[in-house]
Amino acid sequence: MNAIMPTYGRIDVAFVRGEGPWLYDDQGNRYLDALSGLGVIALGHANPAIAKTLAAQSQQLLHTSNLYRIPSQEKLAEKLASLTGMENMFFGNSGAEANECAIKIARLYGHQKGIVEPCIIVADASFHGRTMATLTATGNRKVQAGFEPLVGGFARVPYNDLESIEQIAKQMQNVVAVMVEPIQGEAGIQIPDEKYLIGIREICNAQGWLMILDEVQSGNCRTGAYFCYQHSGIIPDLVTTAKGLGNGVPIGVCLASGDAAQVFGPGNHGSTFGGNPLSCAVALTVLDEFERLDIDKQVTAIGEHMLSQFSQRLGHLNVVREVRGKGLMIGIELERPCTDLVQKALQKGLLINVAADSIIRLLPPLIIDEQQADQICDIVCGLVETL
Ligand SMILES: *Cc1c(COP(=O)(O)O)cnc(C)c1O
């Protein structure tokens, strides 16, 4: 036992050092990381450019608070706006905080239109975080059970089902927004039909609702575009991200466009740490490195390479229900529970994750090369073939 609250069923391995996609435990064993600390370490462990920025910024200025202008925050916001087509943004420290911000904007937007009990439509099997509002938005009873009373003002629909959103549009007068993940991550890399986001955009336009996309996991080039919604050619009113943006330094952001960008005024929201000089300097380096490495193209190419290997080697097996993915967000859904594979992979020197009990989830660092990708595929295929 130790003095940590037992909120995680932790695997008994302690990493002490990393380099690129590699991790080393306290016994000196080496592992290939196909999970990136849950999609965070996009540029790999101990990235030299990030280390340089961290060292330099720590000697210059760490924190001043948002009571003053923060030039690196302004620069980061401009850079993100130019990459995404969004207009302005609010910085926090995590995915849940970014989503809280989006939920607050949607509610205030409703109140400003005279809707006193604003309601946000959310999807089954979604994951939006562990704060009270975001766990209420989350479509997983395991995340909510025991924490009632939940927050009001959410209505739930099946994922990838435009019909049921249209149904709600006919029945309810107090809806202000639809909030979904463009690809559901925790649910096991669930990829909706190509027309899903476009359909939500159309409904939101027709109803005067805000379209909120949670790209905490799918953002930051994970799917081969800066944001996953960019594959669909739409622009949401609000989009949130966090995980890959700071390469391990906590940062989250809620970006807004159009009417949603005009909702907040002074005093409506805040964060002591959010967007401080340290996290913004690191995020700027992350974006510079993405650009320098042409990471979008690399992620698309390596992702397709991995997906085709998995399909060829596993697609025909009875135990495999589906192989799917976009960029380096890859899911292999099995016909039966497979959480034991995490430990088996670890013994072979590979870190993987299993989502929703039966779906192997891979989120390797975006910088993996073809040889490392092949190594991941070999080990995973080997494990699935022996089931
Ligand atoms: C991880 C995740 C969150 C929560 O992010 P935290 O930084 O853990 O608060 C929210 N939404 C999605 C889609 C996520 O994958």
Side-chain angles (χ1 to χ4, degrees), residues 322-381:
E322 191 181 29
V323 173
R324 54 183 179 253
K326 194 153 187 73
L328 287 173
M329 218 174 161
I330 297 171
I332 302 165
E333 180 160 359
L334 304 187
E335 291 288 347
R336 66 167 176 80
C338 61
T339 46
D340 56 312
L341 290 185
V342 171
Q343 194 62 40
K344 286 184 181 160
L346 193 73
Q347 278 156 11
K348 295 191 182 299
L350 179 70
L351 304 194
I352 63 167
N353 177 252
V354 169
D357 281 340
S358 61
I359 304 161
I360 299 169
R361 174 172 58 158
L362 303 176
L363 302 167
L366 307 184
I367 44 94
I368 54 164
D369 62 25
E370 200 169 302
Q371 198 190 344
Q372 292 153 351
D374 287 346
Q375 213 169 329
I376 295 170
C377 291
D378 268 343
I379 298 175
V380 171
C381 289

Side-chain angles (χ1 to χ4, degrees), residues 94-97 99 127-130 181 186 214 216-217 242-243:
S94 68
E97 269 184 78
N99 287 334
F127 183 78
H128 297 298
R130 299 285 194 156
E181 297 155 84
E186 298 306 299
D214 178 347
V216 171
Q217 193 164 147
K243 292 190 164 97

Side-chain angles (χ1 to χ4, degrees), residues 62-70 72-74 76 89-94 97-98 250-253 269-280:
L62 288 182
H63 180 87
T64 54
S65 93
N66 286 295
L67 299 178
Y68 311 98
R69 282 184 53 205
I70 301 174
S72 57
Q73 188 184 111
E74 292 170 12
L76 176 60
M89 59 205 72
F90 179 89
F91 290 98
N93 311 285
S94 68
E97 269 184 78
I251 183 168
V253 59
H269 199 43
S271 167
T272 299
F273 294 129
N276 78 12
L278 181 75
S279 60
C280 290

